[in-house]
Amino acid sequence: MFELTLPPAFILLAGAILVGLVRPALRPVVVLGAPLLTLYAIWQLEDGILQTAPFLNYQIELVQASPLRRLFATIFAIMAFAGALFAFRQAKWWELAAAQAYAAGAIGVAFSGGLITMFLFWELMAIFSTVVVWCGGTPAARRAGIRYAIMHLVGGVILKIGIEGVMVHTGSIEIQPIALETFDAWMILIGVLINAAAPPLSAWLADAYPESSPSGTVFLSAFTTKTAVLALILLFPGEQILIWIGLYMIFYGIIYALLENDMRRILAYSIVNQVGFMVCGIGIGTEMAINGASAHAFAHIIYKALLMMSAGSVLYMTGRRKCNELGGLFQTMPVTATCGIIGALAISAFPFTSGFISKSMISQAAADQHLMTVWLFLAAASAGVFLHAGIKFPWFVFFQKDSGLRPRDPPWNMRAAMILFSAASILLGLFPGWLYALLPFPVDYEPYTAGHIVTQLQLLLFAGLAFFVLLPLMKRTETISLDVDWLYRQAGPLVVGVLTRMYRAAAGRVQRKALGLWAHLHGYLSRHHGPEGILARTWPTGSVVTWVVVLLAVYLLLSQY
Amino acid sequence: MKTDENHHKHWLYRPENRRPLWWGFILILGATVLAQVAIHVHGHFGFDGWFGFNAIYGFTSCALMVVFAKVLGLLLKRSEDYYDSDV
């Protein structure tokens, strides 16, 4: 075997560049091959700092490996592969290239050995995820992409302020747990939390992701929020405030998803919900909790991408995205429906799916720390996940009243990607040891006790009962829900509009005054210098000669003395 | 076309199957609760080991969330072109 000494992120980045350069026939080889080669490179890395490079006046660590970082990089590379498989025959080549560069950014962050490296790859993600949003190709996607880019560039600036503060005040650019005692630490936390879609700035996610192409959302669902989760684990493990931020995100996701009509926006809100579980686990901060958050990130990327693929397939085949226009699709889209249901069961943490073995570790960690309130919220939230994503998504898209639509299953590559991730969701649920072996800390946890299975089934199935009993309350309406983004999409422009009008009025007055003055000045000048002015008159030759004679006479007189 | 569809309606959509489907669901629900007779559930806090605790908790918390969302929806819901119309 050969040794790969390149940082894994550079392989994917090279792939992204090659996609546009090679002949179209070779593109599939590049988009599918580069993630696999990257995966291989990831598993060649030994633990510790492996590559450094000089950058400005700093020695930056390009690659630092550890089990935690490898876990995240692994799932990012797998995701890049499955996403490419789902997309490569339908998506534009520039979307595939942007998605690979985006994934490269995520893997670069996962292995970054210092804050500077982290920041550089962080911005790489911001740029190319924006391009992926723009690949939606509609005016709405263009506008949403601009809002998305502004949000992430602002987040990047805040992060950079924090990083520079830490560099100046401590002289260290190492990535290590930072106590939340300084301004710098808070800036870094806020910068990272913006990417995690934490409150109050959660709205960008459900605003931008559903506007991308059917395959774009699949990529977008995976990288940005989960690199933020990794950054939180590395920088702020055990910070109490994260428990409450996480719980807020969990319920925010559920409530907004319940209100939503757009199928991909439902799933976008549920990303915030799922990342909330991880953020909460990081806040608890014990080995069990960090293991749980990491395992949940791994499992979540797979089943959420699966759900987005399922929704993307429906969108691709029908061109519709609203729940009230869908329904009854299970009859003609059996593969899409089955895979969607498997994803829905996994996100709901049904026994024998990947969600069951990962999410329960976070609840267990809360119980171990005797955090009763947190545990109760987490249990209610688990039921709520089944409500808003586990049943609502498949019910309104594939079942409910028959919409009369009879689309077929999508092309083979899209089916293959869905089947691959469905299998992964079930296999991880059946063999939790595979995932547990990759976790940062040794695992002392057995998810499959009879008691755990029974209580989880009770919780979920009765949540299902609540859904069907209260179905009349959940009648789909063709609406959107206001969020904090109202401030910058409606109130902000309104205030700017008012200020602009005030400025224009004031400027008008000033201008009129100035014009008056100018007219006055102009009149004065033209009286003297204008075509009819005294100084502009053409003088007769005789008077000029007279004046010359006078001058010469004066000169003659003066020369006598 | 319409009558043809009715003839070939999927069994899930036939009105006569609604009751059996509900009964099947209720049977499964009952089974998960009754399973607690045979299987001891070890609670971390005491109350979470009570008979049927998770069933009741799952149902009520979800019902509360749905009602809360409904009320919040009255305040927050806007037509889909809300942002297109004014800006």
Side-chain angles (χ1 to χ4, degrees), chain A residues 254-256 259 322 328 330-331 364 367 372 375-376 379-380 383-384 387 399-400 450-451 454-455 458-459 461-463 465-466 468 470 473 477-482 485-486 489-490, chain B residues 10 12-13 22 25 28-29 32-33 35-36 39-41 44-45 47-48 52 54-55 57-59 61-63 65-66 68-70 72-73 76-80 82-84 86-87:
Chain A
I254 294 173
I255 300 296
Y256 271 84
L259 293 172
K322 296 183 207 164
F330 77 101
Q331 301 167 85
Q364 182 67 40
M372 192 181 77
W375 184 87
L376 279 172
L387 191 69
F399 299 97
Q400 63 157 340
V454 166
T455 51
Q458 276 186 18
L459 193 73
L461 291 174
F462 276 83
L465 179 66
F468 286 111
L470 299 172
L473 284 181
T477 51
E478 291 196 306
T479 53
I480 56 160
S481 307
L482 295 187
D485 64 349
W486 180 83
R489 294 177 68 179
Q490 198 71 14
Chain B
H10 193 276
L12 273 176
Y13 283 118
W22 265 106
F25 187 38
I28 295 169
L29 291 171
T32 60
V33 178
Q36 247 184 299
I39 296 162
H40 171 70
V41 172
H44 303 288
F45 303 103
F47 60 82
D48 52 333
N54 282 276
Y57 190 67
F59 184 86
S61 55
C62 282
M65 280 184 261
V66 171
F68 181 70
K70 185 81 189 166
L72 201 66
L76 296 183
K77 277 191 174 179
R78 293 290 185 278
S79 78
E80 279 169 346
Y82 175 75
Y83 284 117
D84 307 329
D86 276 350
V87 179

XYZ file of all heavy atoms in Angstrom, chain A residues 254-256 259 322 328 330-331 364 367 372 375-376 379-380 383-384 387 399-400 450-451 454-455 458-459 461-463 465-466 468 470 473 477-482 485-486 489-490, chain B residues 10 12-13 22 25 28-29 32-33 35-36 39-41 44-45 47-48 52 54-55 57-59 61-63 65-66 68-70 72-73 76-80 82-84 86-87:
718
model
N -38.866 21.445 16.824
C -40.133 20.702 16.821
C -41.298 21.628 16.499
O -42.113 21.354 15.608
C -40.372 20.026 18.191
C -39.319 18.941 18.437
C -41.776 19.416 18.250
C -39.359 18.339 19.824
N -41.382 22.744 17.211
C -42.554 23.624 17.064
C -42.621 24.199 15.648
O -43.668 24.184 15.004
C -42.492 24.767 18.110
C -42.485 24.200 19.536
C -43.649 25.732 17.921
C -43.739 23.458 19.929
N -41.479 24.681 15.141
C -41.504 25.267 13.800
C -41.775 24.210 12.733
O -42.433 24.488 11.733
C -40.208 26.033 13.510
C -40.286 27.476 13.956
C -40.025 27.817 15.269
C -40.665 28.477 13.076
C -40.123 29.131 15.690
C -40.765 29.796 13.492
C -40.490 30.117 14.797
O -40.596 31.410 15.214
N -45.406 23.625 12.410
C -46.136 24.696 11.727
C -45.914 24.694 10.219
O -46.627 25.353 9.480
C -45.689 26.067 12.270
C -46.051 26.394 13.718
C -45.369 27.678 14.156
C -47.553 26.522 13.856
N -44.701 21.176 -1.377
C -45.615 21.500 -0.285
C -46.437 20.275 0.107
O -46.971 19.581 -0.752
C -46.561 22.613 -0.710
C -45.864 23.921 -0.997
C -46.892 24.969 -1.336
C -46.313 26.042 -2.231
N -47.390 26.819 -2.854
N -50.077 10.159 -0.858
C -50.381 8.956 -1.614
C -49.253 8.451 -2.499
O -49.443 7.551 -3.313
N -46.704 6.685 -1.839
C -46.122 5.372 -1.528
C -46.539 4.328 -2.569
O -45.858 3.336 -2.782
C -46.534 4.926 -0.122
C -47.951 4.398 -0.037
C -48.193 3.030 -0.011
C -49.038 5.265 0.022
C -49.483 2.540 0.065
C -50.322 4.781 0.096
C -50.550 3.413 0.111
N -47.655 4.582 -3.249
C -48.172 3.589 -4.197
C -47.276 3.431 -5.405
O -47.156 2.338 -5.949
C -49.577 4.008 -4.649
C -50.539 4.134 -3.484
C -51.829 4.833 -3.871
O -52.741 4.208 -4.370
N -51.884 6.129 -3.651
N -28.994 9.096 28.746
C -28.345 8.339 29.822
C -27.369 9.231 30.587
O -27.306 9.187 31.817
C -27.614 7.134 29.223
C -26.936 6.229 30.238
C -27.953 5.501 31.118
O -28.986 5.060 30.629
N -27.673 5.419 32.414
N -29.253 11.381 32.919
C -29.702 10.616 34.085
C -28.543 10.347 35.033
O -28.677 10.492 36.261
C -30.339 9.304 33.629
N -32.571 15.869 36.354
C -33.919 15.369 36.116
C -34.679 16.237 35.101
O -35.326 15.726 34.193
C -34.698 15.301 37.419
C -35.991 14.532 37.271
S -36.910 14.473 38.801
C -37.621 16.105 38.850
N -33.402 15.647 31.709
C -33.829 14.317 31.244
C -35.289 14.351 30.792
O -35.640 13.786 29.751
C -33.631 13.294 32.373
C -33.950 11.892 31.942
C -33.093 11.006 31.343
C -35.216 11.222 32.043
N -33.751 9.833 31.065
C -35.052 9.933 31.487
C -36.460 11.583 32.549
C -36.088 9.010 31.425
C -37.497 10.662 32.484
C -37.318 9.392 31.931
N -36.138 15.005 31.575
C -37.564 15.072 31.220
C -37.768 15.814 29.898
O -38.560 15.403 29.054
C -38.357 15.767 32.333
C -38.725 14.880 33.527
C -39.319 15.714 34.647
C -39.711 13.790 33.114
N -36.714 13.544 27.091
C -37.696 12.488 26.826
C -38.880 13.065 26.049
O -39.335 12.474 25.054
C -38.162 11.859 28.137
N -39.369 14.225 26.486
C -40.480 14.863 25.768
C -40.059 15.173 24.339
O -40.828 15.002 23.390
C -40.902 16.141 26.483
N -40.116 12.174 22.035
C -41.479 11.950 21.556
C -41.812 12.975 20.474
O -42.414 12.645 19.454
C -42.460 12.046 22.713
N -41.372 14.214 20.697
C -41.663 15.287 19.751
C -40.989 15.090 18.402
O -41.509 15.507 17.371
N -43.081 12.944 16.438
C -44.246 13.727 16.026
C -43.950 14.548 14.761
O -44.664 14.478 13.777
C -44.609 14.660 17.180
C -45.920 15.405 17.153
C -47.058 14.425 17.319
C -45.952 16.418 18.299
N -48.413 9.395 2.407
C -49.726 8.830 2.718
C -50.794 9.921 2.665
O -51.015 10.516 1.638
C -49.686 8.113 4.075
C -48.699 6.983 4.076
C -47.415 7.164 4.583
C -49.037 5.750 3.542
C -46.496 6.128 4.558
C -48.119 4.710 3.514
C -46.847 4.899 4.027
N -51.413 10.218 3.788
C -52.570 11.120 3.941
C -53.564 10.933 2.792
O -53.770 9.835 2.299
C -52.139 12.580 4.121
C -51.394 13.207 2.962
C -51.482 14.729 2.929
O -52.352 15.348 3.507
N -50.544 15.357 2.239
N -34.200 -4.859 27.760
C -35.637 -5.024 27.507
C -36.400 -3.795 28.001
O -37.316 -3.303 27.333
C -36.144 -6.286 28.188
N -36.011 -3.305 29.173
C -36.695 -2.151 29.738
C -36.590 -0.924 28.838
O -37.571 -0.211 28.615
N -38.828 -1.290 25.744
C -40.253 -1.134 26.063
C -40.596 0.332 26.318
O -41.569 0.860 25.765
C -40.628 -1.995 27.294
C -41.998 -1.580 27.834
C -40.641 -3.457 26.921
N -39.792 1.004 27.122
C -40.118 2.401 27.431
C -40.021 3.273 26.180
O -40.849 4.161 25.963
C -39.177 2.979 28.508
O -37.824 2.720 28.118
C -39.443 2.350 29.860
N -43.099 2.679 24.057
C -44.255 3.363 24.666
C -44.235 4.845 24.309
O -45.220 5.411 23.824
C -44.206 3.237 26.193
C -44.786 1.957 26.730
C -44.831 1.957 28.250
O -44.751 3.005 28.895
N -44.940 0.785 28.823
N -43.081 5.455 24.566
C -42.948 6.894 24.340
C -43.284 7.254 22.894
O -44.075 8.164 22.628
C -41.502 7.307 24.668
C -41.211 8.787 24.802
C -41.786 9.317 26.109
C -39.703 9.031 24.783
N -44.734 5.352 20.354
C -46.029 4.959 19.780
C -47.154 5.824 20.333
O -48.108 6.138 19.622
C -46.278 3.472 20.030
C -45.341 2.567 19.220
C -45.527 1.106 19.598
C -45.567 2.756 17.723
N -47.050 6.216 21.594
C -48.097 7.087 22.122
C -47.957 8.511 21.573
O -48.944 9.235 21.471
C -48.120 7.056 23.649
C -48.914 5.891 24.173
C -48.351 4.636 24.291
C -50.260 6.039 24.492
C -49.090 3.553 24.734
C -51.006 4.960 24.931
C -50.427 3.709 25.057
N -46.734 8.880 21.220
C -46.575 10.135 20.478
C -47.294 10.018 19.136
O -47.953 10.960 18.677
C -45.096 10.435 20.262
N -49.874 8.132 18.584
C -51.306 8.223 18.876
C -51.730 9.685 18.963
O -52.748 10.087 18.384
C -51.612 7.504 20.197
C -53.070 7.537 20.651
C -53.944 6.750 19.691
C -53.227 6.984 22.064
N -50.912 10.478 19.665
C -51.219 11.909 19.787
C -51.309 12.543 18.406
O -52.190 13.366 18.140
C -50.153 12.605 20.629
N -52.171 11.174 15.478
C -53.372 10.843 14.712
C -54.636 11.367 15.384
O -55.604 11.718 14.714
C -53.449 9.337 14.486
C -52.459 8.874 13.457
C -51.375 8.089 13.812
C -52.589 9.272 12.137
C -50.440 7.691 12.869
C -51.660 8.877 11.182
C -50.590 8.086 11.553
N -54.777 14.158 17.105
C -54.799 15.615 16.948
C -54.612 16.062 15.492
O -54.375 17.239 15.229
C -53.716 16.244 17.826
C -53.867 15.981 19.325
C -52.655 16.481 20.079
C -55.125 16.626 19.862
N -55.921 19.290 14.155
C -55.224 20.521 14.545
C -54.020 20.800 13.643
O -53.430 21.877 13.699
C -54.725 20.413 15.993
C -55.758 20.567 17.100
C -55.073 20.464 18.457
C -56.465 21.900 16.975
N -51.535 24.399 6.127
C -51.920 25.697 5.601
C -50.777 26.203 4.724
O -49.619 25.888 4.987
C -52.145 26.709 6.742
O -50.985 26.677 7.591
C -53.369 26.351 7.549
N -51.122 26.964 3.699
C -50.078 27.475 2.800
C -49.462 28.723 3.420
O -49.735 29.843 2.995
C -50.654 27.772 1.424
C -51.051 26.515 0.690
C -51.255 26.746 -0.781
O -52.036 27.637 -1.117
O -50.624 26.041 -1.583
N -48.662 28.492 4.446
C -48.088 29.618 5.178
C -46.609 29.385 5.454
O -46.111 28.271 5.358
C -48.778 29.790 6.543
O -48.736 28.525 7.219
C -50.197 30.261 6.403
N -45.946 30.465 5.817
C -44.626 30.390 6.417
C -44.762 30.925 7.836
O -45.779 31.521 8.180
C -43.585 31.223 5.644
C -44.070 32.678 5.539
C -43.361 30.648 4.266
C -42.978 33.647 5.246
N -43.761 30.692 8.665
C -43.819 31.159 10.049
C -42.752 32.213 10.278
O -41.608 32.043 9.861
C -43.598 29.998 11.011
O -44.494 28.961 10.705
N -43.146 33.279 10.940
C -42.174 34.341 11.244
C -41.118 33.816 12.203
O -41.389 32.984 13.058
C -42.874 35.539 11.881
C -43.876 36.290 11.015
C -44.340 37.529 11.747
C -43.271 36.656 9.680
N -35.535 36.012 11.701
C -35.107 36.608 10.437
C -36.058 37.710 9.963
O -35.717 38.478 9.067
C -34.881 35.556 9.339
C -36.157 34.819 8.959
O -37.159 34.962 9.683
O -36.133 34.095 7.946
N -37.238 37.764 10.592
C -38.140 38.891 10.295
C -37.424 40.212 10.539
O -37.621 41.185 9.802
C -39.376 38.789 11.186
C -40.361 39.902 10.963
C -41.318 39.963 9.985
C -40.489 41.114 11.720
N -42.021 41.132 10.095
C -41.536 41.860 11.141
C -39.824 41.640 12.821
C -41.935 43.103 11.632
C -40.214 42.866 13.315
C -41.260 43.598 12.728
N -35.206 40.727 7.543
C -35.833 40.662 6.225
C -36.972 41.672 6.083
O -37.334 42.050 4.981
C -36.364 39.258 5.962
C -35.264 38.228 5.862
C -35.823 36.846 5.683
N -36.472 36.680 4.384
C -37.020 35.533 3.997
N -36.997 34.490 4.797
N -37.591 35.439 2.823
N -37.593 42.041 7.207
C -38.738 42.926 7.129
C -38.499 44.226 7.900
O -38.530 45.302 7.331
C -39.974 42.202 7.673
C -41.277 42.829 7.268
C -41.571 42.617 5.793
O -40.942 41.796 5.133
N -42.510 43.365 5.271
N -55.953 1.700 -3.286
C -55.081 0.924 -2.412
C -55.812 0.580 -1.118
O -56.620 1.366 -0.636
C -53.833 1.756 -2.122
C -52.736 0.957 -1.504
N -52.666 0.717 -0.167
C -51.672 0.323 -2.067
C -51.594 -0.020 0.084
N -50.973 -0.271 -1.047
N -55.071 0.695 1.849
C -54.937 1.656 2.957
C -55.964 2.778 2.849
O -56.306 3.416 3.831
C -53.535 2.277 2.946
C -52.444 1.526 3.688
C -51.112 2.215 3.485
C -52.759 1.419 5.181
N -56.442 3.031 1.614
C -57.350 4.159 1.410
C -58.818 3.746 1.414
O -59.691 4.587 1.307
C -57.026 4.848 0.072
C -55.794 5.716 0.166
C -54.676 5.455 -0.602
C -55.766 6.795 1.045
C -53.546 6.231 -0.505
C -54.646 7.585 1.138
C -53.533 7.308 0.362
O -52.423 8.091 0.467
N -57.165 1.155 12.862
C -57.142 1.774 14.185
C -57.049 0.710 15.287
O -56.287 0.855 16.232
C -58.399 2.634 14.405
C -58.162 4.077 14.066
C -58.605 4.737 12.971
C -57.408 5.032 14.830
N -58.179 6.048 12.989
C -57.434 6.250 14.120
C -56.685 4.965 16.033
C -56.804 7.408 14.570
C -56.044 6.116 16.487
C -56.106 7.313 15.758
N -53.615 -0.649 15.574
C -52.742 0.327 16.231
C -52.962 0.304 17.745
O -52.005 0.257 18.530
C -53.026 1.712 15.638
C -52.091 2.796 16.112
C -50.741 2.533 16.315
C -52.549 4.087 16.335
C -49.880 3.544 16.743
C -51.696 5.097 16.765
C -50.358 4.821 16.977
N -51.389 -2.677 19.365
C -49.938 -2.544 19.529
C -49.636 -1.620 20.712
O -48.759 -1.901 21.532
C -49.284 -1.992 18.242
C -49.458 -3.002 17.105
C -47.817 -1.687 18.461
C -49.092 -2.469 15.735
N -50.389 -0.527 20.799
C -50.188 0.405 21.913
C -50.388 -0.307 23.245
O -49.571 -0.187 24.168
C -51.175 1.581 21.807
C -50.970 2.575 20.667
C -52.146 3.530 20.584
C -49.678 3.345 20.875
N -47.471 -2.594 24.167
C -46.245 -1.977 24.692
C -46.408 -1.608 26.164
O -45.447 -1.646 26.927
C -45.878 -0.692 23.916
O -46.947 0.245 24.036
C -45.611 -0.970 22.467
N -47.627 -1.259 26.568
C -47.839 -0.933 27.977
C -47.867 -2.209 28.808
O -47.198 -2.315 29.847
C -49.150 -0.139 28.168
C -49.391 0.155 29.643
C -49.095 1.147 27.378
N -46.520 -4.947 28.263
C -45.209 -5.600 28.326
C -44.504 -5.285 29.630
O -43.659 -6.051 30.103
C -44.359 -5.156 27.139
N -44.888 -4.175 30.224
C -44.238 -3.776 31.478
C -44.575 -4.718 32.628
O -43.899 -4.709 33.652
C -44.635 -2.334 31.839
C -43.448 -1.387 31.767
C -43.801 0.020 32.209
O -44.642 0.659 31.611
N -43.150 0.492 33.256
N -41.755 -7.200 31.939
C -40.400 -6.633 31.889
C -40.262 -5.541 32.942
O -41.026 -4.562 32.944
C -40.106 -6.060 30.490
C -40.116 -7.198 29.469
C -38.791 -5.305 30.461
C -40.258 -6.743 28.039
N -39.309 -5.716 33.810
C -39.102 -4.699 34.831
C -38.372 -3.505 34.213
O -37.318 -3.652 33.598
C -38.283 -5.267 35.984
C -37.854 -4.211 36.960
N -38.742 -3.565 37.790
C -36.639 -3.678 37.210
C -38.091 -2.676 38.516
N -36.803 -2.725 38.193
N -38.963 -2.316 34.375
C -38.309 -1.108 33.881
C -37.614 -0.424 35.046
O -38.249 -0.049 36.031
C -39.331 -0.153 33.234
C -38.679 1.178 32.907
C -39.893 -0.779 31.977
N -34.464 5.790 36.506
C -33.334 6.517 37.110
C -33.816 7.399 38.251
O -33.093 7.660 39.196
C -32.663 7.401 36.065
C -32.200 6.646 34.875
N -31.122 5.798 34.912
C -32.689 6.595 33.614
C -30.955 5.263 33.705
N -31.905 5.732 32.912
N -35.051 7.886 38.119
C -35.519 8.865 39.091
C -36.671 8.326 39.919
O -37.253 9.045 40.707
C -35.983 10.137 38.365
C -34.914 10.743 37.502
C -34.941 10.571 36.124
C -33.873 11.474 38.061
C -33.955 11.114 35.325
C -32.895 12.025 37.260
C -32.926 11.848 35.893
N -39.948 7.785 39.389
C -41.231 7.898 38.682
C -41.168 7.362 37.255
O -42.162 6.924 36.705
C -41.713 9.355 38.677
C -40.758 10.299 38.010
C -40.763 10.424 36.638
C -39.852 11.054 38.753
C -39.888 11.291 36.002
C -38.965 11.911 38.121
C -38.980 12.030 36.745
N -39.996 7.427 36.651
C -39.918 6.972 35.267
C -39.987 5.449 35.152
O -40.026 4.921 34.042
C -38.666 7.517 34.573
C -37.398 7.246 35.352
O -37.479 7.122 36.588
O -36.325 7.162 34.734
N -46.552 2.322 32.753
C -47.132 3.155 31.700
C -46.690 4.610 31.731
O -47.256 5.447 31.025
N -44.079 6.172 30.476
C -43.630 6.693 29.186
C -44.774 6.873 28.196
O -44.748 7.772 27.361
C -42.553 5.782 28.593
C -41.211 6.018 29.246
O -40.479 6.904 28.878
N -40.921 5.242 30.290
N -45.782 5.985 28.303
C -46.931 6.101 27.408
C -47.661 7.411 27.675
O -47.939 8.193 26.758
C -47.872 4.921 27.613
N -46.561 10.006 29.371
C -45.681 11.163 29.171
C -45.528 11.484 27.680
O -45.589 12.653 27.280
C -44.317 10.881 29.802
C -43.421 12.091 29.860
C -43.743 13.170 30.670
C -42.252 12.146 29.104
C -42.930 14.287 30.719
C -41.429 13.259 29.148
C -41.777 14.326 29.953
O -40.970 15.427 29.998
N -45.354 10.440 26.875
C -45.216 10.641 25.431
C -46.451 11.293 24.838
O -46.358 12.249 24.058
N -47.635 10.790 25.250
C -48.874 11.331 24.694
C -49.105 12.772 25.133
O -49.346 13.652 24.307
C -50.066 10.460 25.107
C -51.359 10.916 24.491
C -51.722 10.484 23.223
C -52.208 11.795 25.162
C -52.896 10.911 22.632
C -53.382 12.230 24.581
C -53.728 11.789 23.313
N -47.016 15.046 26.436
C -46.048 16.051 25.985
C -46.280 16.386 24.512
O -46.183 17.552 24.116
C -44.611 15.585 26.238
O -44.388 14.346 25.642
N -46.618 15.384 23.714
C -46.872 15.654 22.299
C -48.143 16.479 22.115
O -48.179 17.396 21.284
C -46.982 14.357 21.514
S -45.384 13.661 21.174
N -49.175 16.126 22.882
C -50.422 16.886 22.778
C -50.156 18.350 23.129
O -50.622 19.266 22.434
C -51.472 16.295 23.702
N -47.326 19.964 22.849
C -46.537 20.602 21.794
C -47.415 20.978 20.605
O -47.259 22.052 20.025
C -45.401 19.678 21.344
C -44.209 19.707 22.267
S -42.849 18.711 21.639
C -43.052 17.228 22.584
N -48.345 20.080 20.242
C -49.221 20.364 19.108
C -50.096 21.580 19.403
O -50.228 22.489 18.571
C -50.095 19.140 18.770
C -51.161 19.514 17.744
C -49.249 18.003 18.244
N -49.524 23.941 21.640
C -48.672 25.121 21.730
C -48.323 25.638 20.337
O -48.383 26.852 20.073
C -47.391 24.785 22.505
C -46.456 25.939 22.668
C -46.791 27.001 23.512
C -45.247 25.997 21.988
C -45.934 28.081 23.663
C -44.387 27.070 22.133
C -44.741 28.111 22.974
N -47.984 24.700 19.441
C -47.652 25.099 18.069
C -48.853 25.760 17.405
O -48.714 26.752 16.686
C -47.199 23.888 17.261
N -50.042 25.205 17.672
C -51.260 25.754 17.076
C -51.456 27.215 17.506
O -51.735 28.097 16.684
C -52.452 24.908 17.524
C -53.758 25.292 16.898
C -53.897 24.700 15.517
C -55.104 25.256 14.800
N -55.067 24.966 13.381
N -49.167 29.262 18.800
C -48.070 30.084 18.287
C -48.288 30.381 16.797
O -47.975 31.473 16.319
C -46.745 29.340 18.478
C -45.489 30.197 18.484
C -45.476 31.121 19.680
C -44.245 29.309 18.490
N -48.865 29.401 16.101
C -49.139 29.572 14.675
C -50.060 30.747 14.398
O -49.914 31.443 13.397
N -47.672 33.636 14.441
C -46.503 33.669 13.563
C -46.789 33.355 12.106
O -45.985 33.667 11.236
C -45.442 32.681 14.074
C -44.848 32.975 15.443
C -43.774 31.950 15.779
C -44.242 34.369 15.470
N -47.905 32.689 11.825
C -48.128 32.270 10.443
C -48.453 33.461 9.542
O -49.244 34.327 9.893
C -49.259 31.243 10.390
C -48.782 29.835 10.708
C -49.848 28.818 10.381
C -49.304 27.408 10.576
N -50.322 26.390 10.279
N -47.819 33.464 8.384
C -48.068 34.490 7.377
C -48.212 33.805 6.021
O -47.758 32.691 5.846
C -46.885 35.473 7.304
C -46.695 36.331 8.538
C -47.804 37.363 8.700
N -47.531 38.248 9.809
C -47.783 37.970 11.083
N -48.315 36.797 11.419
N -47.510 38.824 12.038
N -48.784 34.508 5.067
C -48.933 33.891 3.753
C -47.548 33.686 3.136
O -46.584 34.355 3.503
C -49.786 34.771 2.853
O -48.999 35.840 2.382
N -47.481 32.750 2.188
C -46.180 32.341 1.650
C -45.430 33.466 0.963
O -44.212 33.459 0.903
C -46.372 31.192 0.663
C -46.519 29.863 1.349
C -46.978 28.789 0.399
O -47.422 29.124 -0.707
O -46.906 27.623 0.782
N -45.307 36.474 1.905
C -45.150 37.582 2.847
C -43.897 38.399 2.571
O -43.942 39.622 2.511
C -45.110 37.023 4.272
C -44.822 38.045 5.342
C -45.820 38.947 5.736
C -43.581 38.132 5.950
C -45.574 39.885 6.713
C -43.335 39.074 6.932
C -44.324 39.949 7.317
O -44.082 40.883 8.273
N -42.789 37.714 2.369
C -41.531 38.438 2.189
C -41.374 38.981 0.761
O -40.577 39.871 0.521
C -40.334 37.542 2.527
C -40.136 37.365 4.007
C -40.253 36.119 4.608
C -39.838 38.456 4.821
C -40.073 35.964 5.974
C -39.660 38.305 6.191
C -39.777 37.058 6.761
O -39.596 36.912 8.099
N -42.131 38.406 -0.182
C -41.997 38.864 -1.568
C -42.746 40.166 -1.803
O -42.359 40.977 -2.620
C -42.549 37.813 -2.537
C -41.914 36.470 -2.287
O -40.753 36.475 -1.859
O -42.577 35.446 -2.495
N -43.549 42.914 0.073
C -43.180 44.258 0.527
C -41.761 44.666 0.169
O -41.489 45.842 -0.011
C -43.349 44.364 2.045
C -44.797 44.682 2.389
O -45.551 44.985 1.447
O -45.160 44.628 3.550
N -40.863 43.700 0.122
C -39.457 44.050 -0.035
C -39.118 44.264 -1.499
O -39.550 43.507 -2.341
C -38.557 42.949 0.540
C -37.094 43.319 0.336
C -38.835 42.794 2.019
